[in-house]
Amino acid sequence: MKIGAPKEIFEGESRVAITPDSAKALQKLGYDVVIESKAGEAAGFSDAAYTAADVEVVKTAAALFKAADVVAKVRPPSDAEAKRLTKGQTLISFFYPAANEALMELAKSKGANVIAMDMVPRISRAQKMDALSSMANIAGYRAVIEAGNNFGRFFTGQVTAAGKVPPAKVLVVGAGVAGLAAIGTSTSLGAITYAFDVRPEVAEQIESMGAEFVFLEFEDSELPDGAETGGYAPPSSPEFQAKQLEKFREIAPDMDIVITTALIPNRAAPILWTKDMVEMMKPGSVIVDLAAEKGGNCELTKMDERVVTDNGVIIIGYTDFPSRMATQASTLYGNNIRHMMTDLTPEKDGQVVHNMEDDVIRGATVTFEGDITFPPPPPKVAAIAVQKKEKPKELTPEERRAQEMADFQAQTKQQVTLLAVGGALVLGVGLIAPASFMQHFIVFILSVFIGFQVIWNVAHSLHTPLMAVTNAISSIVILGALIQIGSSSVLITILAALGVFMASINIFGGFLVTRRMLAMFQKS
């Protein structure tokens, strides 16, 4: 079968769905790859680069749609492109089915199978195909770069002979994928970064990236629950919105750059930065609104325009941030397509197997065999972000004390039972073993017991680094092996040499794993 990518016809779109590198990966799955001439030119991929990757280059989109069994695109197809689809042909692209009902009906009438990359379920197994996150990551990074391009000062503070330059203050509203990318970029450039999100559980992520979480005083019971929106920040109550706007008005005069990212797919963007907040900001301040395509989070945002207010605040409402980094965006999107095709080609024989029992494929499928399959059923494995957590039952002081006493008694009973069983076993061994053995054996048992009690009380998140170092330190057993390696017995010498070898792996492996984990938190 053939898979192909046409040139994007949406005005200003520079991305391409298949790159020369992703074409090579698709060829390993058994597909022949075809591309429309100049489809990748705006993204920095020439026809010669595709030819070098053994990709067939055709002159027109009509020829490509006719030749390809699978068509990969970035933007949703236009009506003209959708009319070129044929029965049994597969289309993979962003599709936004909730907002494109007529387009969905057209694809159904053509008998095409449509996979919407924006509908990939947000579960762990599907992260490699999550094109929304790939593009949001680029948009968040590019938003900071655009802000810096329009901002008249340094991001980082400097002390020079000519005077002191204070660091810029950046507020990121929304800590999803785009928000976290913006936070990381802003802090790496040296700005004092603040971030806000309606989900208090993301505060640790924000602070771990060097930003300060803007805390909002509100009752826990009245905080919005993200369970219903697939991990996105959900719509807030009017009371919460009022508190939120009050907090933003308080900090607006101090902010140099504001980046807003609050948007739930297929919903209008909430207004979070009002006209009066813009008027409070200093001249030369910048607002970058990543929700401009759905109306914008800023009241004064104009889609695809750069606006300068009367008080000198610059408001950027561009909607093509990923396309402004077309090479990187195409590479990531091409990888998303390639991973989707890997799931669609389990035998790696170049034949599409559209398994509607697969959570990921079913969730992303919009039309299949002449039927509309949108909306999909919820995945069998729910995303971590959407799993509802039951709130613990509130206990009275008397009930709490009774519960604590019952837990203590159960724990004590368990420990007494273990000690009794352990004592009986030690006694049984002592009846047949020599005294010298029992002395070492008891020390060994006590060491195991103490070690178990220590490890048991360590937080789960620390188990990996703890065990990595523990493996290295516990390999002091190598000393015993070195002592025995000079034994007159050949068997003991061989066993001791094996002990030295395995303990050495433990030592070096433990420290190597620890070093790699620490390197994750270091700037390159």
Side-chain angles (χ1 to χ4, degrees), residues 167-232:
K169 291 185 178 180
V170 178
L171 171 66
V172 179
V173 181
V177 176
L180 291 174
I183 291 167
T185 307
S186 176
T187 55
S188 66
L189 290 173
I192 299 175
T193 308
Y194 303 87
F196 173 82
D197 197 282
V198 299
R199 300 163 294 180
E201 62 267 22
V202 304
E204 289 185 4
Q205 298 178 45
I206 290 169
E207 291 169 355
S208 70
M209 299 184 74
E212 181 179 332
F213 183 66
V214 177
F215 184 73
L216 190 63
E217 293 286 349
F218 217 73
E219 292 293 331
D220 289 345
S221 60
E222 297 177 321
L223 286 171
D225 181 9
E228 299 300 326
T229 51
Y232 291 99

Side-chain angles (χ1 to χ4, degrees), residues 115-171:
I115 293 177
M117 294 301 289
D118 51 289
M119 291 297 298
V120 171
R122 288 197 152 180
I123 59 178
S124 297
R125 185 169 67 84
Q127 286 181 353
K128 59 189 176 182
M129 308 170 219
D130 189 353
L132 283 175
S133 293
S134 297
M135 298 302 103
N137 182 35
I138 292 175
Y141 172 86
R142 182 70 187 199
V144 178
I145 302 303
E146 290 288 341
N149 186 46
N150 286 272
F151 186 55
R153 294 196 285 107
F154 296 135
F155 267 66
T156 186
Q158 291 189 9
V159 179
T160 69
K164 182 179 179 181
V165 179
K169 291 185 178 180
V170 178
L171 171 66

